[in-house]
């Protein structure tokens, strides 16, 4: 009764071998046809659902039609559908369970006029697959054969239309059998169901989505990244000049598309490339991320886009927080100040755990009961300046860690003696002691917007190493003997000393003294409690010293300017400020001459120490270099200046400084400030390096125009200075022909250390910048933008982009992007009252202006250095930190109402901003505590049980859900 | 690919059979002239060869001899090429030993051993291709071989497997159906009396369903008996034709 056939399957095993499997396949003479026209219903055993007999034709969909257009076949209008088993199996195997279940339900549903015909188990319908025949062809052939059989089975009474998507099947089978027609699905719908709109629409959308899917799959296929090249190939390629090495910078404003490779010094010279290399698109970027060291290959000039060949060894030290298991993940609510600060620290890989017991136990003590004293041995070793020299310090007001003091006096031979005395940190911090290792890890003191994390324990940084007034301290001194008139340096002495600082001045007071304004003496604590005469004598002495110092500094500086190129206006000072107080840099106070005097003395000391240690240790001294900038980085600066009619000559640091001085718009002081900050940005960063690792001509410090420079004067807050101190001590003992006791770093170790310190410095800068941004965001977060006047401010356009402008807001020191085209594609337009609105239109970007034209024809143009009114808001995000968002409200400068002019004329300093945010956070804490107290009282009043009842738990959960973070910060 | 559908909505199994239908059975007796009895059977793609020697004197240690009945010694082996993945050892592994013991139990129940005390009957079975239901094929082959050897039996021993899928009992499982992991029951039946020589099931099956599965297996075993009976009669007819003329 059954016929046994064998089907051969070739399967692939997990091991990759081919397995030949033979399966039985039984055929039977009759399977249910489920048609009312069946001549032998008893033999067919038709039970259950039958096709209706009153249709004009039966429709047999091909396997591809069932797979793709099942939704259309589900239309109840379509009647008399015979699904062949072959088609159903194609759905089951290739479309997954969901689609197949849909088909099964359709077949079970009595309302749908469709049946399944098990053609593969029917003796005369079954077709074995021929050798070499593709699966698809065999399926179509089987279905056609079954359709023909079915037609004959119904005694040719009912025409059958086979609907196929196979282009070849239509002509191949179309006219083979009379009564069995083969047409395409689209054709079928058009001919038989022209009125069935829904089906046509569905068909179109299915077609479209299928096409999209195909495109997508092609695209995603194309999106696969090429492999990175092996290291040997890279090295060879870089040497031969085929590949170029550089650091990848992703364009912040078009992060998906644009990235640039900034070339590294040497390679750019060799290949004659003058600009960065554009990396266009994610694929070309090939998985590299911002800050990676990459190797790129240039495409032919016609394409003119680079492609990342491979990631070189990833030099950047910044790990993602998740990667270092020892690093605790920051915890805290989003928007919470402490949590956000912790996040910034983790992001920059800064560990600020308090100093451990082991580190602290080696520290000397200084308590009222047990005061720290100068030890007699040290007294013998060191030169005692306590009696002979007038030593004083000039620092910002309220400074705790005084690491530099100055002295000046007349020698017996009439010459002058200038002294710079730096705290002797290395005396307390022995090499490889616990504190030393910790300080090396931290490498610098971290200054955030509202706090700082010290490099050294506070016993050192603000007490024993701090050169406070009126107490004995160890110091490392440099003293120059100067000619009395020409201030020519005759002799230099380096060594360890004991000093007692007489005055701890602050800048403003020193400046007053210099200007001959003696009212300030009431502010100087050292003068209090003295009788009039001794006070007068002491004052004269001090005023002479400060005056002489200023005179010398002026002279030294002029000489430096003369013998080398002219110094770029306060670049190093500015960078130092950047390391500490970012915003103050952008809102500089009137610089006092005393600032310059102190800075000049420090530069002089640093310079001489650099010379000394390099002479003693030519291959293992730690110096600081500032490489000359790439000219192409100045192009933006030049363009901007040109827009305002200035010419910036960037050929040398002298010409640059001169032309920057000249580029001053009397009406708008901000222009000069912006130009200067752009110049600063264009320059490369100053870096520490080991002298053994590069040639002598590269030691040059561009900003200061010095051939050798190092950091020596702030050992309390910079680890590099500690190293330099040790080097200097070693150099001194070498001069005395005594044993070099210090363990010096080899060139290689020092190089490694420099890299670490440079990285940490960068982290310190980043974290400071981020914390400032955080405070800015928190400041603006809770302001109601509509009503709050402070959210609306005057901004200056300092850069033009294709879809917006970059705006600087002098009042808050904020830089940010303001888009001229929003996410809906609308552009900004300004009406007659200069209020801005969003309207459909287009943007056109020029060299130094951008024009937005609406479809109505209105246009508004923004030039460089235009003043506009912007609204500041905060863009909150759950996965990134919040960012400041700027919105242009009007193209006219913002006019402050006259009544408020008075208290607004002073820009809001960052410190004020920090104070305000901190206060609001504290208030929120306070408010919560008060609430806690109330609950406590309630407990007593109602005799409630204390402890964790279910009610309190639920209340807490409710609080968690409803506590509006913005409320707690409300001011 | 969606999971294999063992039983379609229309009631077809993977290979096109309906639930109660057996695979194609073909058998021959007397395939070896050297042995006392031999048979070859194909159940679908499962192929087994059985050879019977005896009854003869106890070979090896005489202490094994039983005073009142014959010793039935069964050995099972399957060819290294019988399964999809090539096997390492053709016999002597745990599975073969177990199968041998099961066969011995089955045939001790069927053969009239008390007619041949202190003697031995050897049954060797080899599976050439395993495609599901090896035990059943072995028993059926061995039955034919014992008949061929002329050893008196109470009845045919007919074996068949049955499974349970989607509330339906399936008779005579193929390898695909076995591999799907459902419950499987092996039954050796003495069809005339309806006595069960061996019943074995490894998987869990709810008590409510057991009867239906057992019923399906028994019906299938009876069907097997019909077929084997036909084979034996055919063989006897051929032999008698040869002998008679």
């Amino acid at each position: 009764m059954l016929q046994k056939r064998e089907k051969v399957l070739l399967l692939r095993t997990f091991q990759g071998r081919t397995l030949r499997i033979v399966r039985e396949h039984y055929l039977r003479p009759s399977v249910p046809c489920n048609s009312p026209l069946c001549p032998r219903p008893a033999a067919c055993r038709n039970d259950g659902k039958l096709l209706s007999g009153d249709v004009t034709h039966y429709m047999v969909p091909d396997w591809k039609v069932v797979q793709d257009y099942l939704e259309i076949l589900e239309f109840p209008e379509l009647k008399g559908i015979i699904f062949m088993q072959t088609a159903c199996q194609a759905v089951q195997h290739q479309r997954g369970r969901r689609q197949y279940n849909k088909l099964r339900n359709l077949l079970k549903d009595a309302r749908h006029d469709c049946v399944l015909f098990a053609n593969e188990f029917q003796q005369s319908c079954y077709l074995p697959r021929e050798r070499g025949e593709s699966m698809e062809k065999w399926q179509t052939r089987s279905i056609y054969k079954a359709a023909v059989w079915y037609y004959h089975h119904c005694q040719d009474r009912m025409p059958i239309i086979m609907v196929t998507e196979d282009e070849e099947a239509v002509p191949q089978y179309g006219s083979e059998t009379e009564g069995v027609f083969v047409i395409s699905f689209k054709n079928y719908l058009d001919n038989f169901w022209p009125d069935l709109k829904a089906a046509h629409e569905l068909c179109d959308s299915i077609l479209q989505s299928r096409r999209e899917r195909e495109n997508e799959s092609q695209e995603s296929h194309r999106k696969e990244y090429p492999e990175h090249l092996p290291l040997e190939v890279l090295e060879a390629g870089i040497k031969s000049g085929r590949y170029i090495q550089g650091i990848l910078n992703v364009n912040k404003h078009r992060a998906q598309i644009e990235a640039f490779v900034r070339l590294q010094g040497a390679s750019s010279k060799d290949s004659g490339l003058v600009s960065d290399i554009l990396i266009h698109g994610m694929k070309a970027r090939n998985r590299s991320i911002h800050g990676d060291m990459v190797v790129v290959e240039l495409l032919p000039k016609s394409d003119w886009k680079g492609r990342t060949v491979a990631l070189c060894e990833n030099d950047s030290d910044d790990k993602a927080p998740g990667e270092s298991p020892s690093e605790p993940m920051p915890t805290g609510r989003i928007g919470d100040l402490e949590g956000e600060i912790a996040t910034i620290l983790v992001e920059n890989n800064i560990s600020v755990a308090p100093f451990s017991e082991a580190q602290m136990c080696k520290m000397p003590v200084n308590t009222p009961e047990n005061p720290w004293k100068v030890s007699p041995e040290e007294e013998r070793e060191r030169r005692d300046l306590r009696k002979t020299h007038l030593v004083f310090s000039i620092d910002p007001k309220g400074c705790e860690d005084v690491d530099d003091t100055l002295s000046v006096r007349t020698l017996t031979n009439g010459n002058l003696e200038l002294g710079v005395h730096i705290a002797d940190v290395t005396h307390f911090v022995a090499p490889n002691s616990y504190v030393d290792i910790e300080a090396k890890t931290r490498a610098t003191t971290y200054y955030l917007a509202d706090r700082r994390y010290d490099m050294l324990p506070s016993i050192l940084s603000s007490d024993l190493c701090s050169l406070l007034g009126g107490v004995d301290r160890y110091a490392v001194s440099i003293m120059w003997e100067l000619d009395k008139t020409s201030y020519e340096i005759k002799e230099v002495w380096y060594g360890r000393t004991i000093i007692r600082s007489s005055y701890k001045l602050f800048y403003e007071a020193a400046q007053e003294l210099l200007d001959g304004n003696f009212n300030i003496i009431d502010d100087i604590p050292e003068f209090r409690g003295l009788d009039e005469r001794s006070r007068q004598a002491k004052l004269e002495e001090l005023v002479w010293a400060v005056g002489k110092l200023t005179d010398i500094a002026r002279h030294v500086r002029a000489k430096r300017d003369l013998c080398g190129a002219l110094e770029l206006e306060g670049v190093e000072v500015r960078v130092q400020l950047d390391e500490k107080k970012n915003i103050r840099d952008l809102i500089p106070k009137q610089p006092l001459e005393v600032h310059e005097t102190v800075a000049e003395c420090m530069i002089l000391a640093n310079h001489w120490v650099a010379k000394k240690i390099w002479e003693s240790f030519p291959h293992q001294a730690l110096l600081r270099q500032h490489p000359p900038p790439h000219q192409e980085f100045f192009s933006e600066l030049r363009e901007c200046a040109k827009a305002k009619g200035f010419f910036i000559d960037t050929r040398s640091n002298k010409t640059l400084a001169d032309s920057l001085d000249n580029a001053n718009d009397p009406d708008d002081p901000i222009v000069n400030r912006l130009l200067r900050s752009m110049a600063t940005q264009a320059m490369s960063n100053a870096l520490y390096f080991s002298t053994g690792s590069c040639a002598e001509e590269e030691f040059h410090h561009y900003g200061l125009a010095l051939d050798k420079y190092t950091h020596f004067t702030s050992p309390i807050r910079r680890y590099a200075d500690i190293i330099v101190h040790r080097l200097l001590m070693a150099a001194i003992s070498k001069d005395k022909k005594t044993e070099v006791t210090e363990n010096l770093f080899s060139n290689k170790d020092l190089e490694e250390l420099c890299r670490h310190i440079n990285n940490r410095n960068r982290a310190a800068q980043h974290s400071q910048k981020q914390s400032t941004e955080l405070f800015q965001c928190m400041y603006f977060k809770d302001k109601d933008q509509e009503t709050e006047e402070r959210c609306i401010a005057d901004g200056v356009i300092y850069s033009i982009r294709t879809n917006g402008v970059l705006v600087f807001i002098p009042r808050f020191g904020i830089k940010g992007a303001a888009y001229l085209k929003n996410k809906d594609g609308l552009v900004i337009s300004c009406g007659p009252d200069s209020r801005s609105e969003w309207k459909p239109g287009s943007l056109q970007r020029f060299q130094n202006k951008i024009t937005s034209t609406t479809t109505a024809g209105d246009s508004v143009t923004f030039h460089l250095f235009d003043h506009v009114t912007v609204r500041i808001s905060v863009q909150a995000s759950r996965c990134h930190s919040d960012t400041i968002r700027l919105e242009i409200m009007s193209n006219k400068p913002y006019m402050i109402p006259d009544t408020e002019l008075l208290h607004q004329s002073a820009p809001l300093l960052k410190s004020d901003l920090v104070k305000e945010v901190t206060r609001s956070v504290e208030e929120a804490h306070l408010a919560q505590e008060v609430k806690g107290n109330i609950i406590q009282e309630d407990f007593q009043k109602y005799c409630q049980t204390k402890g964790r009842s279910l009610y309190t738990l639920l209340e807490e959960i409710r609080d968690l859900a409803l506590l509006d973070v913005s409320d707690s910060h409300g001011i | 690919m969606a999971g294999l559908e063992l039983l379609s909505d229309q009631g077809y199994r993977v290979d096109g059979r309906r639930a109660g239908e057996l695979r194609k059975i073909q058998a021959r007796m007397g395939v070896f002239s050297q042995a006392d009895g031999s048979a070859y059977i194909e159940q679908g793609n499962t192929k087994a060869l059985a050879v019977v020697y005896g009854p003869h004197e106890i070979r090896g240690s005489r202490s094994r001899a039983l005073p009142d009945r014959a010793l039935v010694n069964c050995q099972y082996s399957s060819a290294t090429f019988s399964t999809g993945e090539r096997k390492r050892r053709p016999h002597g592994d745990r599975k073969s030993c177990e199968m041998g013991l099961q066969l011995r139990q089955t045939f001790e129940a069927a053969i009239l051993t008390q007619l041949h005390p202190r003697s031995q009957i050897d049954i060797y079975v080899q599976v050439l291709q395993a495609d599901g239901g090896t035990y059943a094929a072995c028993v059926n082959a061995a039955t034919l071989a014992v008949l061929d050897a002329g050893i008196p039996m109470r009845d045919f021993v007919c074996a068949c497997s049955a499974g349970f899928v989607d509330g339906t009992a399936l008779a005579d499982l193929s390898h695909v159906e076995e591999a799907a992991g459902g419950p499987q029951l092996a039954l050796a039946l003495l069809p005339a009396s309806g006595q069960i020589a061996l019943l074995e099931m490894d998987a869990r099956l709810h008590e409510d369903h057991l009867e239906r599965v057992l019923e399906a297996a028994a019906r299938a075993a009876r069907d097997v008996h019909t077929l084997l009976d036909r084979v034996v009669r055919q063989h006897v007819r051929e032999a008698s034709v040869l002998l008679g003329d």
Side-chain angles (χ1 to χ4, degrees), chain A residues 785-944:
Chain A
Q785 301 163 24
E786 300 305 323
T787 56
E788 184 71 45
E789 156 277 322
R790 278 182 289 190
C791 286
I792 299 168
D794 186 48
V796 184
I797 296 172
Y798 72 93
S799 183
I800 305 276
R801 299 288 142 120
T802 46
N803 57 348
V805 291
L806 300 187
V807 176
F808 171 63
I809 301 169
R811 194 175 153 217
F812 301 109
I814 294 173
K815 283 181 177 177
Y819 294 98
L820 298 183
K821 189 176 210 167
N822 67 9
K823 288 210 172 105
D824 309 327
L826 303 177
V827 299
I828 205 161
S829 89
C830 291
D833 60 342
S834 73
R835 287 255 149 217
S836 65
E837 283 173 286
W838 294 106
K839 284 183 182 167
S842 62
L843 289 177
Q844 200 173 5
R845 183 199 164 170
F846 301 98
Q847 189 73 44
N848 51 16
K849 61 180 180 183
I850 184 165
T851 305
S852 138
T853 316
T854 62
T855 44
D858 309 326
S859 74
V860 59
T861 306
F862 296 92
H863 292 91
L864 266 182
F865 298 114
D866 269 0
H867 282 253
V868 292
T869 307
V870 289
R871 176 188 290 145
I872 307 159
S873 58
V874 173
Q875 184 144 37
S877 161
R878 290 197 70 80
C879 42
H880 297 283
S881 50
D882 296 353
T883 46
I884 289 275
R885 220 181 66 177
L886 302 179
E887 220 177 302
I888 293 181
M889 293 180 67
S890 139
N891 58 350
K892 294 280 182 298
Y894 177 58
M895 291 303 162
I896 300 158
D898 285 342
T899 46
E900 294 177 23
L901 197 61
L902 267 179
H903 69 264
Q904 283 219 340
S905 51
L908 182 72
L909 285 178
K910 182 197 64 174
S911 49
D912 299 341
L913 192 146
V914 168
K915 262 183 229 154
E916 192 159 337
V917 173
T918 318
R919 201 190 64 221
S920 67
V921 170
E922 277 167 6
E923 272 170 11
H925 278 295
L926 219 61
Q928 285 200 339
E929 271 168 34
V930 169
K931 200 171 153 203
N933 285 342
I934 291 171
I935 290 174
Q936 287 295 320
E937 284 163 19
D938 283 351
F939 272 133
Q940 291 179 352
K941 194 171 167 190
Y942 299 110
C943 301
Q944 292 279 306

Side-chain angles (χ1 to χ4, degrees), chain A residues 6 24 26 28 100 104, chain B residues 5 15-16 21 24 44-45:
Chain A
E6 286 186 342
E24 293 166 275
Y26 290 95
R28 55 190 70 238
Y100 181 61
R104 275 173 65 183
Chain B
E5 196 181 34
D15 51 11
E21 288 173 346
K24 188 180 179 75
N45 281 339

